[in-house]
Amino acid sequence: MKQPSRRRRGVILTLKGWDKFQAAKTQTEFNENAGDCFSLEELSDRTRLALHTISRIQGRLEPVDKSSLQSAFAAFNLELCKEDYTQPNPPDDLELRHTNPQYDWGEAPDVSVFYGRSLELVQLGEWVLEERCRLIALLGIGGIGKTTLAVKLGLQVQAEFEAVVWRSLQNAPSLEEILTSILQFLQWVLRKEIVIPESFDGKLSKLMECLINHRCLVILDNVETILSHAGQAGQCCSGFERYGQLLKRIGEVPHKSCLLLTSREKPREMVFLEGDRTAVKSLLLKGLNSAEGQQLFQQKGQFTGTEQEWQLLINHYGGNPLALKMVAAGTQELFNGKVAPVLQYVEQGILIFDDIRDLLERQFQRLSAIEEEVMYWLAINREPVSLVELTANVVTFSSQRLVPSAIKSLLQRSLIEKKGEHFFLQPVVMEYARQRWIEQVCQEIQDRGIQNAQTPTSHSLLSDR
Ligand SMILES: Nc1ncnc2c1ncn2[C@@H]1O[C@H](COP(=O)(O)OP(=O)(O)O)[C@@H](O)[C@H]1O
Ligand SMILES: [Mg+2]
């Protein structure tokens, strides 16, 4: 028997309501908690609401009773007004994707299992809906959740668009192919007599015409596929330079649509277009926090660990959801779901699950010699370092002047992170880089004989420590 469609009762905060709540919370944290964020438990005490209700309220995806919102607001001396809450989107994500033929979600993955990212969704929602940004990039290391977040965001905002079209560049299609496929879809959906031009320029102009006259959301996933492995990060591969033209046109020409892209590296064109006042934005995705990471584990089965063990494990993998999923599977298979023994291995730097190695290896293969050297140096040094320290410690004088641009490029590739003036590696990246470097040194020693092992990239790094 066909199930009647599930009615979702309750309400969620609007962006406006969420902003109001966050502002009051931040002010109270400042006044009463020395500026530190309230933990979920503290919020629960203060609002007299259950922990999961607080998470739902802040996440804005799952509905709650209106009275719960009122309690949450009252706890911060706010009154809940009509514009602060709304009905949530109807059914679940998969149903949403198929409810309307205006939305072509192509091969976008299912995102019904989704944790965290409430801040990111609010920020992105503002860029798309309020600031009407024309070009937005979701950036970050492989597996951090770019594709998943892009789908989630798309589903949340799709009702605001006349057409939504998702295409992946994973198999490196030419821009002409992509343009034709997008135009074919728009032709149908906008019920327009769009004659698809033969020439590339004609197709690009036709697309721009659609984006100017209709509000469309175009999502391009896996843009790093068409970016070059060689040289500085973010340049289009030879033969794919036209994608650069597309980004430039979409970022520069006023129109009412939005191109959302996901990529491990920031395309070069965006670097020039981006700025506070422009309609071009990018968001660098960080990992999930400990509570969200735990939820991801729980979805795979039963696990046991103390709060501190969880925190160590999840931090070690930088909250990378793909890495965590793999670790969850390994922890189930090898350690009966116990976190403590996994941590013992992790702390000795022994255990890196194979799939994560593959993921990182693919990222490393894209690096230039100087980028690789900087990675190794950061891995061996372990502590965060400033640009000045890094430059001073790079071995050859000729490569010293390349350090700033290598750092820039590594940041764009999301392989290094920056806090204040200092650069550092996520623990799992650091462990991987150390192992890779050791393997390289061993290989060189084997190849040349111990006396002659003097390559600048690896051996002299060793001599300093
Ligand atoms: N917020 C999230 N909640 C739950 N699972 C997630 C989340 N983000 C990513 N994942 C899972 O992690 C894996 C990698 O995510 P994905 O979006 O493909 O990463 P990326 O596109 O950055 O390489 C996928 O299996 C996805 O389902
Ligand atoms: Mg992806």
Side-chain angles (χ1 to χ4, degrees):
M1 196 179 78
K2 195 166 180 266
Q3 291 278 324
S5 71
R6 194 157 43 101
R7 257 190 73 210
R8 291 197 144 196
R9 302 184 48 204
V11 289
I12 59 170
L13 286 177
T14 55
L15 282 178
K16 200 165 174 193
W18 190 91
D19 274 344
K20 197 163 142 185
F21 181 71
Q22 290 302 324
K25 184 164 92 60
T26 310
Q27 186 63 51
T28 315
E29 285 162 350
F30 187 75
N31 293 341
E32 298 176 19
N33 210 29
D36 289 339
C37 288
F38 289 130
S39 66
L40 269 186
E41 284 79 10
E42 286 168 328
L43 284 174
S44 168
D45 282 349
R46 196 177 182 99
T47 57
R48 295 169 193 269
L49 294 169
L51 290 178
H52 73 271
T53 310
I54 303 276
S55 302
R56 281 176 159 208
I57 290 176
Q58 300 206 95
R60 292 185 59 247
L61 293 173
E62 298 278 331
V64 296
D65 287 341
K66 191 175 149 195
S67 60
S68 301
L69 287 186
Q70 278 164 335
S71 307
F73 268 48
F76 292 98
N77 297 324
L78 294 172
E79 197 182 330
L80 187 73
C81 306
K82 219 164 176 316
E83 68 269 18
D84 296 331
Y85 62 93
T86 178
Q87 298 281 333
N89 276 339
D92 64 26
D93 289 345
L94 274 182
E95 283 172 60
L96 256 183
R97 284 164 65 151
H98 302 298
T99 47
N100 198 326
Q102 280 165 279
Y103 310 139
D104 175 358
W105 281 100
E107 313 227 310
D110 173 22
V111 296
S112 340
V113 176
F114 186 84
Y115 307 111
R117 302 296 189 209
S118 47
L119 284 175
E120 289 87 346
L121 280 166
V122 168
Q123 174 69 85
L124 290 163
E126 269 173 18
W127 286 350
V128 175
L129 301 177
E130 282 165 34
E131 297 184 30
R132 298 223 158 195
C133 289
R134 299 190 285 259
L135 178 58
I136 300 174
L138 281 182
L139 306 170
I141 197 167
I144 201 75
K146 303 177 291 294
T147 302
T148 308
L149 184 59
V151 182
K152 200 75 189 173
L153 172 70
L155 291 172
Q156 276 192 9
V157 300
Q158 66 179 2
E160 304 289 324
F161 290 88
E162 290 170 66
V164 174
V165 51
W166 168 285
R167 293 288 178 266
S168 169
L169 306 190
Q170 189 146 35
N171 298 325
S174 70
L175 181 55
E176 295 217 44
E177 261 175 78
I178 287 286
L179 287 181
T180 308
S181 126
I182 294 177
L183 284 171
Q184 275 167 348
F185 173 68
L186 292 179
Q187 179 185 43
W188 179 79
V189 108
L190 303 173
R191 309 268 186 276
K192 297 212 7 156
E193 295 299 313
I194 302 176
V195 179
I196 301 177
E198 287 280 310
S199 72
F200 167 76
D201 287 340
K203 284 185 179 127
L204 187 53
S205 301
K206 200 46 100 185
L207 177 70
M208 291 311 299
E209 198 182 303
C210 290
L211 302 185
I212 289 169
N213 294 319
H214 302 271
R215 183 137 162 85
C216 308
L217 174 63
V218 179
I219 306 176
L220 294 181
D221 192 24
N222 295 116
V223 167
E224 72 278 352
T225 317
I226 55 102
L227 299 179
S228 171
H229 290 213
Q232 277 253 319
Q235 287 189 30
C236 291
C237 296
S238 93
F240 289 88
E241 293 87 354
R242 284 174 164 174
Y243 276 99
Q245 272 181 51
L246 171 77
L247 298 184
K248 199 158 174 286
R249 279 283 275 282
I250 290 195
E252 278 177 356
V253 175
H255 57 79
K256 53 178 162 186
S257 298
C258 177
L259 172 69
L260 173 67
L261 65 86
T262 80
S263 176
R264 290 184 193 172
E265 294 168 16
K266 188 188 282 187
R268 227 165 77 96
E269 287 70 20
M270 292 204 58
V271 179
F272 299 120
L273 291 168
E274 225 178 335
D276 278 351
R277 285 158 176 274
T278 72
V280 177
K281 304 271 184 202
S282 61
L283 181 70
L284 181 63
L285 272 193
K286 302 273 181 211
L288 299 180
N289 67 27
S290 176
E292 295 152 0
Q294 277 184 54
Q295 286 180 303
L296 221 148
F297 269 74
Q298 305 303 350
Q299 214 242 330
K300 295 242 166 218
Q302 295 268 327
F303 294 87
T304 43
T306 64
E307 197 49 45
Q308 199 198 5
E309 286 164 356
W310 276 116
Q311 214 153 46
L312 284 170
L313 186 69
I314 288 161
N315 281 349
H316 181 80
Y317 289 99
N320 183 308
L322 179 63
L324 293 179
K325 275 180 144 178
M326 292 168 186
V327 176
T331 308
Q332 275 283 318
E333 269 167 40
L334 306 173
F335 302 99
N336 282 333
K338 293 202 179 68
V339 173
V342 183
L343 267 182
Q344 278 172 13
Y345 282 94
V346 158
E347 277 161 5
Q348 291 162 27
I350 297 175
L351 191 81
I352 293 183
F353 294 101
D354 278 353
D355 296 336
I356 300 167
R357 266 187 93 91
D358 292 347
L359 191 76
L360 288 169
E361 177 59 29
R362 264 179 275 142
Q363 309 249 85
F364 262 78
Q365 280 168 3
R366 300 173 76 97
L367 302 185
S368 67
I370 182 73
E371 285 172 1
E372 210 175 316
E373 187 174 349
V374 168
M375 288 298 288
Y376 291 149
W377 201 89
L378 285 169
I380 294 158
N381 190 61
R382 286 186 174 264
E383 298 298 319
V385 288
S386 67
L387 183 60
V388 177
E389 288 171 279
L390 244 177
T391 311
N393 279 285
V394 160
V395 239
T396 52
F397 179 70
S398 60
S399 48
Q400 278 181 353
R401 65 191 167 81
L402 300 176
V403 172
S405 67
I407 289 281
K408 227 173 100 201
S409 186
L410 288 168
L411 279 169
Q412 270 187 43
R413 293 184 200 276
S414 317
L415 276 171
I416 62 175
E417 311 229 342
K418 181 168 182 249
K419 194 166 190 186
E421 301 279 290
H422 292 83
F423 301 93
F424 63 97
L425 304 179
Q426 286 288 335
V428 76
V429 179
M430 187 187 294
E431 235 32 271
Y432 174 75
R434 286 174 74 87
Q435 286 188 5
R436 200 175 194 271
W437 174 75
I438 291 166
E439 278 162 26
Q440 259 188 33
V441 176
C442 294
Q443 190 62 44
E444 282 163 18
I445 292 175
Q446 244 177 27
D447 289 351
R448 296 172 180 223
I450 290 173
Q451 279 88 355
N452 297 328
Q454 280 294 347
T455 60
T457 45
S458 38
H459 196 70
S460 34
L461 276 169
L462 182 69
S463 61
D464 228 16
R465 316 270 100 210

